[in-house]
Amino acid sequence: MKKLTTLFLISWALLMLAGSLFVFNSLYPGWTDVLFDTAVSQSQEENLSLNEIPVDSKTSKETAYEETVKDELPSSSSSEIKESHPSTFEDNIQNTLPGIEQYEEPDRSQIEVPHEVAGKNGYEPIQEQREEIPKEDGEKIKERLGPGETGDGLTFDPMFYPYYEMLNEKGKHLYRQIFANAKALNTNFSPVEQASSGEVKTAFEAVCNDHPELFYMDTAYTAKCLKNGECVEIQLQMNRTASNLDKAMEQFSQKSEEILANARNAGTDYEKERYVHDRLIELVDYSLTAPMNQSAYSALVNGKTVCAGYARAFQYLMQQLGVPCYYTTGYAGENHAWNIVSLEDGYYNVDSTWDDTSPATYDYFNKSDKDYAGTHVRDGLSVYLPACNGQMYRSQESDGKRNITDLGLNPEDALTTLEDYFANCYAQAMDGEKGTKEFANVIKGKELFQEWYHTYDNESYKEGYASQLLMDSGASSCQLTLEVEELADDMYYIQHTLVLQ
């Protein structure tokens, strides 16, 4: 637990309420003169456990994507496709998705990787092996293979599968086909619509980014194309787990459930997210040589992976908990992968790979795009994911100050009046038997904190709750030690050690 600065010790007895002993900590002789600048600890030691303080709050979400992108692909109604071989995605999506705040790309030339996380990357972009074949061979392939599974009738919730939502109608049709064939372990098929190799690549990337449960499918494939760029065959590549998929699925589900079982009881979406983040870091080791390290399986079953495995495992677990979470790719000194998570007031960046240091940190947990601007920049389809500007659950280390969420609390748990503080102290102190009791609360605002301080300075705390507590508890004397930590966002964390005798 973080070490806090003792402010003062108070003692009183039932028959001596007018004569409380008030002792200031000698470490801060200037306390009464410089109330807010010197008296509060701002050390950066280990955070409190999430479960130390109960939280009861509800979260709500609004749909981030309000409508389907209707931008059309270049016409492919003719028998020929324009002779070009795009390797990016501009032909498949529009530059702006409606209903979300757009990401603003920082200057990647300014990206600097902190030395403590240098080299912790390992994400491999989608790899397309392109083979050009004669037109007559292409016709034979299409007749022989057909589309396999078309995926017709499948639907994907845009809050959980945003990459699907980015695509136009042709792109979505290809996405559904690739997904359905992957689920069926059908590795060879012809595109369900006439499409260029670039269009296929975009749809394939979208499937991989949306579906961490397809851990048995590699992030590489082969496309057989005609000279004009038309793709006539898609060959998916499977890893070794596909040879005994039932067993692999069983192992994957078992390992996932070991985390999910406790995460489901964590309370709010934020608490679930934090539990998954912490548990994943505890169970997984970074290893550049880990097999199948682009998959969630490598992290959850094998326990060794790179950034792609961390991110896909985090995405999968949060999806299972009903919390929208997106796989995000970009540049962080090298190719890198992390996550975006949707909480009550917006979106946040999470990089569990970079938090997995010794000791573990929250340095890259629930950060805004502005926080990430010097270390991470998105690329590929990820640039069209929502901007991350959430603040309520943003993890901050401003001037050594923790955030209230680092205590396992939500901002709305902070007390905003002295009356609420007195009532909260009385309720916690009266809970249980006499003896030593430890409890804590958070108050918000410097004015309230100054008012709080003066209640102990002028002994009005007695009228507020202490006298009633002493009488109602049946104790004859009481000793109270108070410790305070200044938090970010103008909040103060107060720990009480109460001895009733």
Side-chain angles (χ1 to χ4, degrees):
M1 181 179 293
K2 179 179 285 191
K3 184 179 180 181
L4 302 174
T5 302
T6 302
L7 293 181
F8 41 76
L9 172 70
I10 300 169
S11 301
W12 73 89
L14 182 60
L15 300 177
M16 299 176 59
L17 287 174
S20 297
L21 177 64
F22 192 90
V23 182
F24 288 103
N25 188 326
S26 61
L27 291 175
Y28 292 98
W31 162 257
T32 55
D33 296 323
V34 190
L35 182 59
F36 303 111
D37 292 337
T38 62
V40 184
S41 169
Q42 297 178 2
S43 60
Q44 298 186 49
E45 301 176 22
E46 183 180 355
N47 291 328
L48 290 174
S49 166
L50 174 66
N51 298 319
E52 285 189 28
I53 303 176
V55 180
D56 182 16
S57 62
K58 296 180 179 180
T59 60
S60 61
K61 300 184 182 68
E62 296 181 0
T63 301
Y65 302 92
E66 296 176 353
E67 58 183 277
T68 301
V69 178
K70 297 181 180 178
D71 180 39
E72 292 298 328
L73 283 173
S75 174
S76 59
S77 57
S78 66
S79 60
E80 296 293 327
I81 289 183
K82 185 178 180 180
E83 188 169 350
S84 62
H85 314 306
S87 59
T88 55
F89 42 81
E90 286 82 358
D91 287 342
N92 297 62
I93 63 175
Q94 64 181 23
N95 290 333
T96 303
L97 287 175
I100 64 168
E101 187 175 355
Q102 295 301 301
Y103 171 68
E104 295 183 9
E105 181 176 329
D107 183 357
R108 70 175 55 222
S109 69
Q110 301 300 311
I111 298 296
E112 294 184 5
V113 179
H115 71 276
E116 60 269 18
V117 295
K120 299 194 73 171
N121 298 294
Y123 155 68
E124 297 177 3
I126 298 298
Q127 298 295 314
E128 176 201 53
Q129 182 177 346
R130 190 174 182 276
E131 297 180 8
E132 187 173 305
I133 62 174
K135 184 175 181 180
E136 54 271 22
D137 290 349
E139 295 300 324
K140 293 177 182 178
I141 286 174
K142 287 192 285 187
E143 292 177 6
R144 174 172 56 85
L145 286 179
E149 302 291 332
T150 63
D152 292 343
L154 293 176
T155 59
F156 299 94
D157 185 344
M159 275 302 292
F160 289 88
Y161 306 102
Y163 290 99
Y164 175 77
E165 193 68 12
M166 294 176 189
L167 304 177
N168 62 16
E169 292 309 313
K170 180 193 284 189
K172 288 178 178 177
H173 202 180
L174 293 169
Y175 174 114
R176 294 193 300 268
Q177 180 196 22
I178 293 169
F179 174 80
N181 278 295
K183 293 285 285 185
L185 296 180
N186 183 17
T187 58
N188 295 65
F189 50 92
S190 294
V192 71
E193 294 198 27
Q194 189 178 29
S196 70
S197 61
E199 292 166 344
V200 170
K201 185 176 182 180
T202 301
F204 182 81
E205 179 179 343
V207 171
C208 290
N209 288 0
D210 270 343
H211 296 280
E213 75 276 15
L214 298 178
F215 59 81
Y216 48 89
M217 182 177 74
D218 284 342
T219 56
Y221 69 99
T222 298
K224 292 187 177 181
C225 302
L226 305 181
K227 184 178 180 180
N228 68 354
E230 180 187 354
C231 179
V232 296
E233 181 180 353
I234 301 170
Q235 296 179 353
L236 303 181
Q237 298 178 18
M238 303 294 177
N239 62 43
R240 67 190 187 197
T241 61
S243 63
N244 192 350
L245 188 55
D246 288 342
K247 181 179 179 181
M249 284 287 193
E250 182 181 354
Q251 293 174 323
F252 186 75
S253 297
Q254 179 183 344
K255 291 296 185 179
S256 299
E257 188 59 29
E258 290 175 5
I259 299 175
L260 294 170
N262 288 325
R264 292 189 187 98
N265 298 323
T268 66
D269 285 353
Y270 165 77
E271 292 173 292
K272 293 173 182 176
E273 177 207 11
R274 181 162 174 145
Y275 180 86
V276 169
H277 169 272
D278 294 354
R279 191 69 174 139
L280 200 60
I281 288 174
E282 181 181 349
L283 295 175
V284 179
D285 293 326
Y286 179 87
S287 174
L288 192 59
T289 60
M292 300 180 292
N293 60 24
Q294 300 301 295
S295 70
Y297 186 94
S298 65
L300 293 173
V301 179
N302 296 339
K304 294 182 183 296
T305 193
V306 297
C307 60
Y310 279 93
R312 284 196 166 99
F314 189 83
Q315 176 192 23
Y316 176 78
L317 294 169
M318 296 307 296
Q319 285 177 342
Q320 297 304 300
L321 293 168
V323 181
C325 181
Y326 312 142
Y327 180 77
T328 310
T329 62
Y331 175 78
E334 299 177 63
N335 291 329
H336 192 51
W338 64 96
N339 295 102
I340 289 173
V341 65
S342 173
L343 295 176
E344 182 177 356
D345 71 324
Y347 297 89
Y348 298 83
N349 291 292
V350 180
D351 190 341
S352 53
T353 309
W354 280 17
D355 279 342
D356 192 3
T357 55
S358 183
T361 72
Y362 294 97
D363 291 345
Y364 302 95
F365 176 74
N366 281 11
K367 298 292 187 177
S368 67
D369 288 335
K370 184 178 180 181
D371 294 327
Y372 267 29
T375 56
H376 298 66
V377 57
R378 304 184 205 173
D379 62 17
L381 293 175
S382 296
V383 300
Y384 300 112
L385 291 173
C388 293
N389 293 317
Q391 293 296 318
M392 185 180 296
Y393 301 101
R394 180 167 161 250
S395 178
Q396 301 179 67
E397 292 291 344
S398 175
D399 298 327
K401 301 173 189 175
R402 291 191 293 172
N403 189 276
I404 188 173
T405 56
D406 294 328
L407 306 175
L409 295 169
N410 296 321
E412 57 267 27
D413 295 319
L415 305 174
T416 56
T417 69
L418 201 58
E419 290 73 19
D420 289 342
Y421 166 77
F422 288 150
N424 185 272
C425 288
Y426 178 86
Q428 293 193 73
M430 283 296 293
D431 185 19
E433 302 291 331
K434 289 188 292 185
T436 301
K437 302 169 180 284
E438 295 183 352
F439 58 92
N441 46 41
V442 175
I443 61 176
K444 180 175 177 60
K446 290 183 178 178
E447 291 184 4
L448 177 58
F449 181 62
Q450 190 168 18
E451 185 180 5
W452 170 88
Y453 169 79
H454 286 303
T455 64
Y456 289 97
D457 189 20
N458 62 25
E459 300 184 354
S460 60
Y461 69 92
K462 297 173 184 175
E463 182 180 349
Y465 76 99
S467 298
Q468 192 67 41
L469 171 64
L470 200 60
M471 289 187 291
D472 292 350
S473 67
S476 58
S477 65
C478 179
Q479 186 179 76
L480 175 65
T481 302
L482 300 172
E483 299 179 328
V484 177
E485 177 188 359
E486 185 177 5
L487 304 175
D489 299 324
D490 201 18
M491 297 186 188
Y492 300 84
Y493 177 55
I494 308 170
Q495 287 187 298
H496 309 68
T497 301
L498 180 67
V499 181
L500 290 171
Q501 297 176 336

